[in-house]
Amino acid sequence: MKIYNSAKEALSCLESGQTLMVGGFGLVGGPLTLIDTLGELDVSDLTIISNNLGEKGEGLGKLLNQKKVKKAIGSYFTGNRDVGEAYQRGELEIVLLPQGTLAESIRAGGAGIGGYYTKTSVGTDLAKGKEIKIIKEEEYVFEEALTADVAIIRAHKADKLGNLIYYKTARNFNPLMATAAKTVIVEVDEIVEIGELDGDTIVTPHLFIDRIILAKKILTKEGVVEHG
C-alpha cells in the first residue's frame, strides 16, 4: 500500500547525505507537513533541489536554521535572508540556476536525458566553467540534468493508486519532481477511491508515486495552519 499513516513513517527512507527535491515556490505548493516532519528527524548534510529555501523560519527555512542543509540548488534564494547569511558564513553551498533552466534540468532528469544546451545564461557568471557550444552560429551553454534520491511534493488530491491532481498555481515544480527521483512522497488534501478522479484531470500518473500521506498543514492568507 502507498498510503502511510504519518509523515514520519513516509520519510523513513530518507538518510543523511542524500539529495532531496522539494516542490513549491516559496510556501505555495510546498509539502509543508513533510518539511516540518523532516525537522524532527535525525538527518543532515542534505542537498536540496528546490526553487528556493522557503521563507525566514518557515518551510525549508526551518531546515536551514537547523543546519540540516549542506547544499542548495535553486533559483530564488533572496526571499529568505537566512540563506545569504548562511552562505556568507560558509555554512551553505549554493548553485544558482535560472528558473527555466532549473525546471528543464529536472524535466530532463525525469526523462532520462543526461543534459541539454540552452542559450540562457550565456555570457554571464552563471555560465562560467560550463561547456559552451556553437550551434548555427549561436552560443549555447550545457546544463546537466538533475535527479534526486527522494522527492517530497504537494498535490491537491490522490486516489488510492497514487494518481494526482493539483490545485492551480500550487502545481508549480511538483509534477516535474515526481518524475526525477528514486522515491517520491506526496502529501495531499484528500485521498479518494480509484476511479473517482477524472482521467483528463490527472497530471501525475500513479507509477511515479511511492508514498502518500494526508496533509496536516496548509498555507492560508493568515499563514501556515493546521489542517484536518
Side-chain angles (χ1 to χ4, degrees):
M1 292 294 291
K2 295 182 179 181
I3 300 171
Y4 283 66
N5 292 323
S6 72
K8 190 171 184 178
E9 290 178 0
L11 288 166
S12 61
C13 58
L14 187 65
E15 300 177 0
S16 293
Q18 288 187 322
T19 297
L20 176 66
M21 284 185 178
V22 183
F25 186 110
L27 300 180
V28 177
L32 301 176
T33 306
L34 290 164
I35 293 171
D36 269 13
T37 304
L38 267 173
E40 303 169 6
L41 302 182
D42 184 20
V43 292
S44 60
D45 294 324
L46 297 174
T47 294
I48 302 290
I49 300 172
S50 187
N51 183 65
N52 53 286
L53 287 181
E55 298 178 3
K56 189 176 180 65
E58 295 284 354
L60 288 172
K62 290 183 178 180
L63 298 187
L64 174 68
N65 292 342
Q66 292 173 335
K67 304 187 186 305
K68 293 180 182 290
V69 184
K70 175 185 68 176
K71 179 179 179 179
I73 302 171
S75 297
Y76 186 68
F77 296 122
T78 53
N80 182 356
R81 294 188 63 179
D82 290 341
V83 176
E85 292 173 4
Y87 175 76
Q88 293 294 334
R89 292 193 300 268
E91 297 172 357
L92 177 69
E93 180 182 349
I94 289 177
V95 177
L96 187 63
L97 295 174
Q99 198 166 75
T101 300
L102 175 65
E104 180 63 8
S105 296
I106 297 169
R107 188 202 69 81
I113 299 169
Y116 60 96
Y117 291 95
T118 176
K119 293 178 70 173
T120 306
S121 84
V122 169
T124 73
D125 287 346
L126 296 182
K128 286 184 177 179
K130 296 180 179 179
E131 177 193 347
I132 303 295
K133 186 172 185 177
I134 305 298
I135 302 175
K136 295 183 179 179
E137 300 182 351
E138 296 279 354
E139 288 189 344
Y140 288 78
V141 61
F142 182 76
E143 296 286 353
E144 292 186 357
L146 292 172
T147 58
D149 299 297
V150 178
I152 58 173
I153 64 172
R154 183 74 156 82
H156 180 43
K157 290 183 182 181
D159 66 16
K160 290 183 177 180
L161 282 177
N163 294 303
L164 304 182
I165 63 173
Y166 300 86
Y167 184 72
K168 297 183 178 180
T169 57
R171 177 169 168 172
N172 47 58
F173 288 91
N174 289 295
L176 293 175
M177 291 182 174
T179 70
K182 295 175 183 176
T183 301
V184 179
I185 307 168
V186 59
E187 67 176 76
V188 296
D189 296 314
E190 185 180 357
I191 301 172
V192 301
E193 294 295 330
I194 297 168
E196 286 191 33
L197 298 180
D198 182 347
D200 289 335
T201 67
I202 292 171
V203 176
T204 299
H206 64 87
L207 60 91
F208 291 110
I209 304 304
D210 299 291
R211 304 180 180 201
I212 308 166
I213 66 158
L214 281 172
K216 299 298 183 183
K217 293 180 181 290
I218 60 170
L219 180 64
T220 69
K221 292 180 180 179
E222 290 72 37
V224 180
V225 299
E226 296 290 330
H227 172 61

